[in-house]
Amino acid sequence: MKHLENRSQTWFKILTPEGRDLDYEMKKWFLPEGVKKGEWFTSGSRIGTWLVSNPKEFMQKTNRVFVVELDGEEPLIELPGIIWVRKVRLVREATNLDLKRFGIYRAFRQII
């Protein structure tokens, strides 16, 4: 990656509650199940699909955040903190510990 600060980043994909992209792509993503990673997603867009290093700007109450794995190919487009890639897969849903450093706190229903 050309931007040094992007090289060691954990990348995130933000999806709707149903597992769809927030932008114009209507394709549903293969979500991870337990410890099994999701299937590889290949974007049909010429600029690829976008990933962020800080999901806070894109968070809404119902959005879901996933940690992703890149396929090793260089990003198609790269800016500090955001990249567009052709091929990626979801590894797991981001935990509260993953999101805490960005000031994102999700509440869970506690059953007593």
Side-chain angles (χ1 to χ4, degrees):
M1 293 189 189
K2 64 182 177 182
H3 290 282
L4 186 60
E5 64 269 25
N6 286 348
R7 291 186 185 176
S8 60
Q9 290 294 333
T10 299
W11 293 100
F12 299 95
K13 182 65 183 170
I14 296 111
L15 301 175
T16 67
E18 300 80 29
R20 297 188 185 279
D21 256 320
L22 298 182
D23 55 8
Y24 61 88
E25 287 192 54
M26 294 304 296
K27 183 171 180 168
K28 190 168 181 173
W29 285 67
F30 298 104
L31 303 180
E33 295 179 16
V35 295
K36 184 181 176 198
K37 298 175 183 178
E39 294 180 31
W40 287 101
F41 174 84
T42 304
S43 175
S45 170
R46 64 182 174 83
I47 63 169
T49 189
W50 58 275
L51 306 172
V52 295
S53 62
N54 180 349
K56 186 170 185 171
E57 300 174 34
F58 304 95
M59 283 300 297
Q60 293 181 0
K61 187 176 181 178
T62 59
N63 287 350
R64 295 174 72 185
V65 181
F66 291 87
V67 175
V68 301
E69 177 181 347
L70 306 176
D71 76 338
E73 185 178 311
E74 286 292 313
L76 300 171
I77 301 172
E78 183 178 356
L79 298 171
I82 187 167
I83 58 174
W84 286 261
V85 296
R86 184 168 323 283
K87 192 172 181 183
V88 64
R89 73 173 160 183
L90 306 177
V91 174
R92 61 180 169 78
E93 194 153 5
T95 64
N96 282 345
L97 192 57
D98 293 323
L99 301 175
K100 182 180 178 181
R101 64 185 165 141
F102 305 112
I104 300 171
Y105 302 96
R106 298 179 299 177
F108 290 98
R109 191 169 39 168
Q110 183 176 11
I111 300 171
I112 300 175

